[in-house]
Amino acid sequence: MALGIVDVALLVISLLCSAGIGVYYGIKGIRSTPLEYLLGGRSMKPLPLALSLMVGTISAITIVGSAGEMYAFGTQLWMMDLGILFGLVIIAKVFIPILYPLKMVSLYEYVERRFKSRWLRKSTVFLQLLGGYMFIGFLLFPPSMALQFITGLHIVFNILIIGGICTLYSTFGGVKAVVYTDALQSLVMVAGVLAIVIQGCITHGGMANIIDTAYHHQRIEFFNMNLSPYQRHSLWLCVINGFFFTLGTYGVNQSQTQRYFSTTSVKHAQRVLYYAAVGMVGMRALINLSGLVMFANYMGCDPMTDPKRPMSDPSQIAIHYVNTELPKIPGLAGLFVAAVYAAVLSSVSTQLNSMTALIWEDFLKEIKFFQGWTDVKVGYLQKILVLGAGVLGMVLSLVVWQLGWSFFRTVLAINGALSGPLIGLFLIAVFLPWINTKGASIGFIVSILLNVIVAIGQLTMPKAAYLPLSRENCTTLSSLSPTLTTTNLSDATLSTLSPLSTTISTNILSDATLSTLSPLSTISSTTNLSDATLSTLSTISTTTISTPASPPGEWLFGLSYCLNPLWGTLFSILIASLVTAITGMNSPEDLDQKLIAPTAWEAFQRPLSQLFKRRKRQQEKNTEDGDIEHGVNQPLTDNQPLTDNQTLADNQTLADNQTLTDCKEKEVGGENGRV
């Protein structure tokens, strides 16, 4: 698709504004201190920080991926927002009151202070840096491929344009340039996605008609209450996914916590999250609605199952829609492309700034060579680090492009597997004060290994089932109008099929048996089936299609991906608890109270302090009993309880009375003898 003059103008204006903000703050803060460069001097306002927080996690992958999700699988994933809101409240009410007053630049300084372990802090930082740099490459690669189809620019030029502009304003302007550019880009993203929704409403007679079409084609589903963990999505799976996604992104990730560390107080930091929650839910709703608009547009002539050019992934539907529908109105395509560029720029710039903060605070700052440097000199060094990170991110994106999608999916799965164990480590630190350093460290390492095994194993499982897709209204079809589209059928048995006059759509043949097919005069179009051959089926009297055996490890790897961060968190906590039970618990004297959640500290302090006191009393009592058995007279001390003194006095009185009684009896006996 060739962009029109209006489209190109909108795109160029958006990119120039982003670069201009960076240059402005670069000139204004040319002699900024490290704290000003990384955290804006902790004086930034909540609203722009909230917009930055919102767009920092809504990348171009989110825009095209979520739209494709609604198109092919329905709206159940939308319920993930409930978990997101709950997670943001937990972070605002529990995490921020503990983390913000510590006045940290690096989030993982908290790990060292809580567990008194520099090794554990370095480990978390190293994993974050490794994952962060790889993530920059991933953020640049997929949208650059998509933009190649939309703009006609080669993928290398797209990577260099996006990466170069982003590196430019992040390097010169620091966090202020990143945040205020993000605020601008959030408006561009909203406008770009809103353009699709408005255009779709005009074309299809309003949003009510779009929702009605989606409902009658099985796309509307919010309350799937099935408790099976082996399905792809359900209400409870999506809520769990949203909750742990939020903890992993906004609670234990440097790139996002650095945003609310940049404001002036705990209350302002909490407001950043509350404002971001509103914006995030609204933006995600627009993206999801755009997917329903695309489905309403293609419901009778689905391009995903086009026999000539089938799509391998639902996210490609958004690119197809932009290419075929938006150019009908000048400027809409350019606005959407600008939104995609803005999404990539905001996500990458967030990573660049946070990676620099970690490198300086956790590694370079401790080196003796840098300790005598002035703030201005350190500021120049930080700019060089951002520049280097941007160049490295572009190189990694080109590497991913050369190695292909299989490498991309594998490394992305490994990167995602780190989230759950890190959440578990922070939950232990905040809520489980009795767990010691050995337990936390071993739990963290082992849970990473287990989670990586699960994540990689899931890549071997068959792709999930698409909802029904139809091409019955396509004007380019041959005279054989009925079609049979087969994709991803699981756990079902189709039998005794009579002649078909309508489109049937099923999904990946797994644990399914099709038998006793009556004569068909159809075209079989298969997707998601490797080495499938399309042929014209004539009379088939009785045909049985054998089903492949269940893939190995399905009992484990077949579990919903939504549970991955939950498993990592549980592995970390359970293993840490077991190791602590073996090696010994912390006592209240071992910890700093301000590093623990107040309710957890109160529950920890009272029972354990009483336990230690009772144990001490028991030891003292055992010592006294041992001394008495060996005939050692212990002098009474002032610390001896009053009851013990009283007992001794009572015993002495009884002994004296017994002696007097015996004497009187002897006297009486003597007198009787004399008588």
Side-chain angles (χ1 to χ4, degrees):
M1 179 192 77
L3 295 177
I5 296 177
V6 178
D7 300 318
V8 173
L10 289 173
L11 178 59
V12 171
I13 290 172
S14 172
L15 295 177
L16 288 178
C17 288
S18 297
I21 292 175
V23 173
Y24 170 77
Y25 280 102
I27 297 173
K28 186 177 179 180
I30 193 169
R31 299 181 65 83
S32 60
T33 66
L35 187 65
E36 291 171 341
Y37 187 78
L38 297 176
L39 295 178
R42 299 189 193 275
S43 61
M44 301 188 71
K45 301 297 183 183
L47 184 57
L49 287 171
L51 293 174
S52 178
L53 200 69
M54 176 189 77
V55 300
T57 52
I58 298 180
S59 64
I61 300 174
T62 306
I63 293 177
V64 298
S66 295
E69 171 73 26
M70 300 298 116
Y71 184 96
F73 297 105
T75 60
Q76 185 61 72
L77 188 62
W78 204 329
M79 290 294 96
M80 178 179 172
D81 289 5
L82 295 178
I84 290 176
L85 293 175
F86 181 54
L88 289 173
V89 171
I90 295 296
I91 295 170
K93 293 296 186 181
V94 179
F95 280 62
I96 286 180
I98 295 173
L99 298 176
Y100 185 90
L102 300 178
K103 300 298 181 183
M104 302 178 296
V105 175
S106 169
L107 171 66
Y108 307 106
E109 180 184 337
Y110 172 76
V111 173
E112 180 181 359
R113 296 174 67 171
R114 163 62 175 85
F115 295 107
K116 297 180 174 62
S117 172
R118 295 183 62 79
W119 175 88
L120 191 54
R121 173 181 177 177
K122 301 294 185 185
S123 300
T124 56
V125 172
F126 174 77
L127 290 174
Q128 283 296 297
L129 288 173
L130 181 63
Y133 284 124
M134 292 301 297
F135 193 50
I136 292 173
F138 297 152
L139 287 171
L140 289 172
F141 167 60
S144 295
M145 282 197 69
L147 290 168
Q148 178 179 352
F149 292 104
I150 297 175
T151 64
L153 288 174
H154 193 273
I155 183 174
V156 174
F157 290 108
N158 279 302
I159 290 174
L160 294 178
I161 290 173
I162 300 173
I165 292 176
C166 182
T167 302
L168 172 69
Y169 71 75
S170 299
T171 298
F172 289 104
V175 72
K176 287 187 177 180
V178 171
V179 168
Y180 288 112
T181 304
D182 285 350
L184 169 66
Q185 289 161 352
S186 67
L187 301 179
V188 176
M189 289 168 62
V190 170
V193 179
L194 190 61
I196 292 180
V197 176
I198 293 176
Q199 187 259 2
C201 289
I202 294 173
T203 303
H204 299 287
M207 183 55 65
N209 286 340
I210 293 172
I211 299 295
D212 184 69
T213 299
Y215 175 78
H216 285 93
H217 289 81
Q218 305 176 32
R219 260 56 187 180
I220 303 299
E221 181 184 35
F222 293 112
F223 301 103
N224 174 9
M225 308 303 290
N226 191 331
L227 296 179
S228 172
Y230 289 96
Q231 57 191 324
R232 185 169 183 268
H233 289 153
S234 66
L235 175 63
W236 70 281
L237 288 174
C238 290
V239 171
I240 289 174
N241 186 31
F243 177 72
F244 282 95
F245 162 80
T246 304
L247 291 186
T249 303
Y250 300 101
V252 302
N253 191 301
Q254 175 71 23
S255 62
Q256 303 304 323
T257 57
Q258 193 171 330
R259 294 294 171 268
Y260 52 75
F261 284 169
S262 300
T263 191
T264 56
S265 65
V266 169
K267 288 186 177 181
H268 281 184
Q270 291 172 328
R271 288 178 187 173
V272 170
L273 284 183
Y274 296 147
Y275 296 163
V278 175
M280 194 182 311
V281 170
M283 185 66 195
R284 289 172 61 87
L286 283 177
I287 295 171
N288 293 338
L289 287 174
S290 72
L292 297 182
V293 167
M294 295 171 195
F295 178 77
N297 192 74
Y298 296 126
M299 66 173 180
C301 188
D302 170 58
M304 285 184 61
T305 53
D306 187 344
K308 296 180 180 179
R309 288 176 295 181
M311 296 181 183
S312 60
D313 191 89
S315 62
Q316 297 174 6
I317 197 69
I319 308 304
H320 181 78
Y321 186 86
V322 173
N323 277 332
T324 58
E325 300 300 322
L326 292 190
K328 297 176 181 178
I329 302 177
L332 286 189
L335 196 58
F336 182 81
V337 173
V340 173
Y341 270 106
V344 182
L345 290 172
S346 61
S347 299
V348 173
S349 62
T350 298
Q351 293 295 322
L352 293 177
N353 189 257
S354 62
M355 296 302 101
T356 299
L358 290 179
I359 291 175
W360 170 250
E361 285 292 321
D362 294 289
F363 292 102
L364 300 183
K365 188 177 181 180
E366 302 173 354
I367 299 175
K368 188 176 181 180
F369 176 77
F370 297 107
Q371 290 178 357
W373 284 26
T374 63
D375 286 347
V376 174
K377 197 173 181 180
V378 172
Y380 288 136
L381 174 62
Q382 290 173 341
K383 290 179 173 66
I384 294 174
L385 292 175
V386 173
L387 179 63
V391 173
L392 179 60
M394 288 185 279
V395 171
L396 289 174
S397 182
L398 294 173
V399 170
V400 173
W401 169 52
Q402 290 297 319
L403 294 178
W405 283 98
S406 296
F407 173 78
F408 172 80
R409 287 192 296 268
T410 301
V411 181
L412 194 61
I414 295 174
N415 192 36
L418 302 178
S419 175
L422 192 60
I423 294 171
L425 181 65
F426 271 80
L427 291 180
I428 288 170
V430 173
F431 294 106
L432 304 176
W434 51 84
I435 292 183
N436 61 28
T437 302
K438 290 181 181 179
S441 301
I442 295 175
F444 181 59
I445 295 172
V446 174
S447 61
I448 289 176
L449 296 176
L450 294 175
N451 235 32
V452 167
I453 291 172
V454 172
I456 294 178
Q458 287 177 338
L459 297 177
T460 65
M461 293 294 104
K463 289 185 178 181
Y466 296 155
L467 293 174
L469 299 171
S470 172
R471 290 185 59 80
E472 62 182 355
N473 295 331
C474 292
T475 57
T476 58
L477 288 181
S478 62
S479 58
L480 295 174
S481 56
T483 63
L484 176 64
T485 303
T486 309
T487 60
N488 301 347
L489 179 65
S490 61
D491 301 319
T493 301
L494 301 181
S495 58
T496 319
L497 296 178
S498 54
L500 303 178
S501 58
T502 58
T503 301
I504 298 177
S505 174
T506 56
N507 292 316
I508 293 179
L509 289 171
S510 169
D511 301 327
T513 301
L514 287 74
S515 58
T516 320
L517 297 177
S518 301
L520 302 178
S521 177
T522 61
I523 294 176
S524 174
S525 171
T526 60
T527 62
N528 291 333
L529 290 174
S530 59
D531 303 323
T533 303
L534 300 179
S535 60
T536 305
L537 300 178
S538 57
T539 304
I540 303 177
S541 56
T542 304
T543 303
T544 301
I545 301 178
S546 61
T547 62
S550 298
E554 187 177 18
W555 64 273
L556 176 61
F557 304 139
L559 292 167
S560 173
Y561 76 94
C562 295
L563 297 174
N564 285 4
L566 173 62
W567 300 140
T569 303
L570 292 179
F571 290 154
S572 181
I573 293 174
L574 292 176
I575 295 170
S577 300
L578 179 61
V579 174
T580 297
I582 296 172
T583 59
M585 295 186 296
N586 287 329
S587 66
E589 291 77 16
D590 297 328
L591 301 175
D592 185 349
Q593 180 179 350
K594 65 184 178 182
L595 302 177
I596 311 297
T599 52
W601 178 261
E602 184 177 355
F604 168 62
Q605 188 182 28
R606 287 185 178 178
L608 286 184
S609 61
Q610 294 173 6
L611 176 62
F612 286 124
K613 288 179 181 179
R614 286 197 300 267
R615 185 176 298 174
K616 186 175 181 180
R617 289 198 198 105
Q618 185 64 36
Q619 290 174 350
E620 291 176 351
K621 185 176 184 300
N622 292 340
T623 302
E624 291 177 3
D625 293 342
D627 290 342
I628 292 173
E629 289 178 1
H630 291 84
V632 180
N633 294 324
Q634 296 292 330
L636 295 177
T637 62
D638 295 337
N639 293 330
Q640 189 169 357
L642 178 61
T643 55
D644 293 344
N645 293 332
Q646 185 63 43
T647 301
L648 290 174
D650 293 341
N651 291 338
Q652 185 64 39
T653 301
L654 290 173
D656 294 343
N657 291 336
Q658 184 64 39
T659 303
L660 291 174
T661 302
D662 293 342
C663 292
K664 288 181 180 179
E665 288 178 351
K666 289 179 180 179
E667 289 179 0
V668 172
E671 290 177 357
N672 291 334
R674 286 194 294 270
V675 172

